[in-house]
Amino acid sequence: MTGKFWRGSFMLMMIGVLLTGFFRLPVYAADQEVLIEMNDTKLQMDVSTEMSLILRNVSGDVKLVSFEGLDNFEVLSNSQSSSTSIINGAASKEVKSNYTIMPKSVGTFTLQAVLSIDGVQYETNSVTVTVEEKDESLSGAKDDIFIRTTISGDSCYYGDNVVVTYELYSRYQVSEFGFTDSLTADGFIVEENSDQEYKPNYTTIDGNKYVMYTVKQLKLTPTMPGRYTLPAFDFQVNLSTGGFFGSTKATYLKTDEVSLTVKDLPAAGKPSQYGGLVGDLTIEGQLSSSAVNINEPITYNVTLSGKGNLYAIDSLVDYINLKDFSVYETVNDKPVQMDEDGVREEKEFEIILVAKMPGDLVIPEINIPYFDVTSGEYKELSLDSQKVYVEGSQVVDQPSEGSPVFDKNRSQPVVIDKTFAKVPEDIIVLKLSKSKLILIGGSIGGILLIFLIGILVFKNRDVLFGKSKTLLQEIRKINTDKEAYSFLEKYMADYYLVKLKSTAIEKAVSVMKDEEKAIVLRQLLYYFEEEHDSVPISLDEVKKKLEYLIN
């Protein structure tokens, strides 16, 4: 038998011993749970990852019966930890066994443990792990410590996003690390991966062992088409010197620059209802019931998911004609998943429908236009129409006292019973017909509307009759870029209450309800704030765009 076989068998035996000795726990009120968690399920040869076997609220004698798939990995190290929490008076105990594992071969493997707890067997969840060949781009690394920069794609469409990943490799013992620069980039909205954990993995490069940290992942969302360069950032690593007092030595590294081409969306084939959705997306829908009573709500759950920019869609109701229902909608954004391949998002829409009438009703099909980055074409996310049978009687307005009300769908009359109270003699009752009441109300409303219009015209007479001409005269007097920006800054503050110097570009643009004017405003802001590099236009063109904005 080989040495690796003996090491693997010994490690599995030690896991069993640790489980048997360590997991003797008192009884807790919460439900028992056993599960496996992993840092990453997409691995490379010669690169390690972290795996945890977790027991929650387990009591009694625990033994490891089997661990399917573990023989495909080398266990490099293991440790244990435990914690207790009290929620609403109930204690919850968690014991965790942490393992650093490295794959032995390429392939797809399933990990699942079977535990015996007081003689009763429990299975953990199954975790599927894919192991690929090692990334050969790291071959030839000569430095004992270096930082690597990768990007999920060197080009993307406007409205899509990419992920930039920074990995630290070291043959020394690392104490601390971090960026000393602000992570910003011209032409992009930069967001950091807030769920990232800085756990070390181990890898072998040209026969040398390195510890590897994924130190940062950035989501880049372009704000304009064009060619951009993500700058190099300064990075500091504190290395342990091994001294008695735990002293460290600072080492300074610099990341690589990254070039990215942002392609504009094609004008050909763009649907009229297109709202800016871009990506590689899917849609799923489920109706809570296909038959309800007249006053009962129906829930229509729709989920959009995939790689793309789901922030571009806030509501599904705009894409469905729900005239036969009263509609209530809630939206739930799931946490963004970020990795080397890109950003995966998920958005859940809960549409609550209450039928306005009985009978066989139809929830129309959903068609959401989007730009598919894989094919480079405009497509639609589609869900078929849904049929709903609504049982009950249609409500009839204002029936006369004691008169029968007939339901059109029934042969028998439905009698509405009402009890009328006597009006006290000291109260004057004014009886008006519905038509007269509408006429009186409409007359009063019309008089008030004319009065309000008169006030608005009087207060804004300069805007309505002369302000536009005054603004045009001011634009024609502009001779420098600085004067043009000052005019735009004052115009946005006066008319939209937006202070350009303290407002992000996209937020400032969002106040423009006219789509064409929003595009022009974005171009102007990038012209002024990007020092003319991203939008090279002349001063005359700037003045024409300003004139377009105020008209």
Side-chain angles (χ1 to χ4, degrees):
M1 295 186 182
T2 64
K4 282 191 175 181
F5 175 82
W6 281 111
R7 286 199 301 273
S9 300
F10 176 74
M11 189 60 70
L12 187 58
M13 181 180 68
M14 288 301 297
I15 293 172
V17 171
L18 286 165
L19 285 170
T20 303
F22 196 75
F23 294 126
R24 291 183 178 274
L25 308 176
V27 178
Y28 287 85
D31 294 335
Q32 294 185 349
E33 185 179 15
V34 292
L35 70 154
I36 295 173
E37 288 185 354
M38 290 191 68
N39 262 10
D40 193 2
T41 57
K42 185 178 178 182
L43 308 179
Q44 292 183 14
M45 287 296 296
D46 296 330
V47 179
S48 70
T49 190
E50 299 296 316
M51 178 189 70
S52 296
L53 179 59
I54 302 172
L55 279 69
R56 294 195 179 112
N57 307 308
V58 172
S59 61
D61 185 21
V62 181
K63 294 181 181 178
L64 178 66
V65 177
S66 64
F67 207 137
E68 179 188 350
L70 188 62
D71 55 344
N72 296 296
F73 299 84
E74 184 177 356
V75 179
L76 302 178
S77 66
N78 71 287
S79 61
Q80 290 80 33
S81 62
S82 64
S83 62
T84 302
S85 60
I86 298 176
I87 302 174
N88 296 328
S92 178
K93 178 79 172 182
E94 178 178 284
V95 179
K96 183 184 290 188
S97 239
N98 305 303
Y99 306 99
T100 302
I101 60 176
M102 183 179 287
K104 296 178 182 178
S105 60
V106 173
T108 301
F109 310 104
T110 300
L111 291 168
Q112 185 176 35
V114 178
L115 303 174
S116 173
I117 304 174
D118 282 341
V120 180
Q121 290 194 358
Y122 292 82
E123 291 184 346
T124 67
N125 56 310
S126 62
V127 178
T128 302
V129 181
T130 303
V131 181
E132 299 176 347
E133 292 288 355
K134 185 179 176 182
D135 186 355
E136 296 300 329
S137 65
L138 288 170
S139 298
K142 298 179 181 179
D143 296 332
D144 290 333
I145 182 169
F146 62 94
I147 192 165
R148 181 191 186 211
T149 306
T150 59
I151 189 168
S152 59
D154 57 6
S155 67
C156 71
Y157 283 96
Y158 173 61
D160 199 5
N161 46 59
V162 296
V163 173
V164 177
T165 303
Y166 298 100
E167 296 172 337
L168 174 66
Y169 293 80
S170 175
R171 298 186 65 194
Y172 305 109
Q173 184 175 349
V174 175
S175 174
E176 295 176 305
F177 54 75
F179 286 90
T180 59
D181 284 336
S182 176
L183 302 180
T184 59
D186 293 340
F188 296 96
I189 298 172
V190 181
E191 299 175 69
E192 297 184 17
N193 186 356
S194 58
D195 295 330
Q196 188 176 333
E197 295 184 29
Y198 303 107
K199 292 184 177 180
N201 289 323
Y202 300 91
T203 184
T204 302
I205 304 174
D206 297 334
N208 297 318
K209 285 189 177 293
Y210 285 80
V211 61
M212 186 271 285
Y213 295 87
T214 301
V215 297
K216 190 70 69 177
Q217 285 184 313
L218 303 178
K219 172 186 171 184
L220 304 182
T221 303
T223 56
M224 288 287 287
R227 180 73 175 172
Y228 298 95
T229 299
L230 183 69
F233 298 116
D234 291 327
F235 189 80
Q236 179 179 336
V237 186
N238 292 337
L239 303 176
S240 176
T241 60
F244 180 79
F245 294 102
S247 59
T248 60
K249 176 184 177 182
T251 299
Y252 298 93
L253 306 172
K254 188 178 284 288
T255 66
D256 296 326
E257 289 186 347
V258 174
S259 296
L260 178 64
T261 300
V262 180
K263 298 177 287 187
D264 203 356
L265 298 179
K270 181 182 290 187
S272 58
Q273 206 180 5
Y274 178 69
L277 198 58
V278 177
D280 183 6
L281 306 169
T282 60
I283 187 171
E284 294 181 350
Q286 185 174 9
L287 197 62
S288 62
S289 178
S290 59
V292 293
N293 292 323
I294 184 68
N295 292 320
E296 291 179 353
I298 315 163
T299 302
Y300 195 14
N301 290 306
V302 180
T303 301
L304 299 182
S305 61
K307 294 179 180 178
N309 63 340
L310 293 183
Y311 64 82
I313 180 168
D314 295 322
S315 172
L316 286 186
V317 176
D318 297 336
Y319 297 92
I320 323 174
N321 182 7
L322 296 168
K323 59 183 177 59
D324 295 333
F325 301 89
S326 297
V327 183
Y328 309 89
E329 183 182 38
T330 60
V331 183
N332 180 24
D333 288 299
K334 295 288 188 177
V336 172
Q337 297 178 1
M338 197 181 301
D339 57 32
E340 292 82 356
D341 295 330
V343 178
R344 181 175 178 82
E345 299 186 26
E346 185 173 315
K347 194 172 240 185
E348 292 182 347
F349 298 84
E350 185 180 63
I351 305 172
I352 300 174
L353 306 171
V354 179
K356 295 180 180 178
M357 64 189 74
D360 290 315
L361 304 183
V362 175
I363 300 173
E365 64 180 8
I366 299 177
N367 294 302
I368 306 172
Y370 77 105
F371 183 79
D372 180 42
V373 296
T374 304
S375 63
E377 299 175 348
Y378 292 97
K379 294 185 177 181
E380 284 187 338
L381 296 169
S382 300
L383 286 177
D384 294 335
S385 60
Q386 304 276 348
K387 292 184 178 180
V388 179
Y389 175 69
V390 181
E391 185 176 0
S393 302
Q394 188 167 359
V395 178
V396 178
D397 291 334
Q398 295 185 342
S400 60
E401 182 180 355
S403 65
V405 180
F406 288 89
D407 181 0
K408 295 179 180 179
N409 297 319
R410 295 177 183 266
S411 58
Q412 298 297 323
V414 179
V415 178
I416 296 181
D417 182 23
K418 289 190 175 182
T419 302
F420 293 84
K422 186 178 180 181
V423 180
E425 295 179 355
D426 57 344
I427 295 178
I428 298 175
V429 179
L430 179 63
K431 294 185 178 180
L432 293 173
S433 66
K434 184 177 180 181
S435 58
K436 289 182 179 179
L437 187 62
I438 293 173
L439 180 62
I440 294 171
S443 301
I444 295 173
I447 294 171
L448 288 174
L449 181 62
I450 294 172
F451 180 71
L452 289 173
I453 291 174
I455 293 175
L456 289 172
V457 170
F458 179 78
K459 293 184 68 176
N460 298 280
R461 60 193 184 280
D462 57 334
V463 174
L464 294 172
F465 303 111
K467 194 67 174 178
S468 179
K469 184 177 179 180
T470 303
L471 292 175
L472 286 173
Q473 291 174 347
E474 291 181 17
I475 292 173
R476 288 165 187 160
K477 294 179 182 179
I478 292 174
N479 295 314
T480 65
D481 287 342
K482 185 176 180 181
E483 292 175 358
Y485 181 76
S486 297
F487 173 86
L488 181 60
E489 188 179 25
K490 186 176 185 303
Y491 174 75
M492 293 299 294
D494 291 345
Y495 287 83
Y496 296 98
L497 304 179
V498 173
K499 295 182 179 180
L500 292 181
K501 289 184 178 179
S502 59
T503 306
I505 290 179
E506 290 305 313
K507 188 173 181 181
V509 170
S510 67
V511 303
M512 286 288 182
K513 303 305 179 186
D514 186 302
E515 185 176 346
E516 296 298 327
K517 288 190 176 183
I519 293 172
V520 169
L521 177 60
R522 184 184 288 108
Q523 291 174 340
L524 285 170
L525 292 176
Y526 273 99
Y527 174 76
F528 292 125
E529 297 193 16
E530 301 292 334
E531 298 180 353
H532 322 330
D533 292 336
S534 60
V535 190
I537 55 179
S538 65
L539 180 60
D540 287 339
E541 289 177 294
V542 170
K543 293 166 72 172
K544 288 179 181 178
K545 290 180 184 295
L546 289 174
E547 290 178 1
Y548 178 76
L549 278 184
I550 69 169
N551 286 327

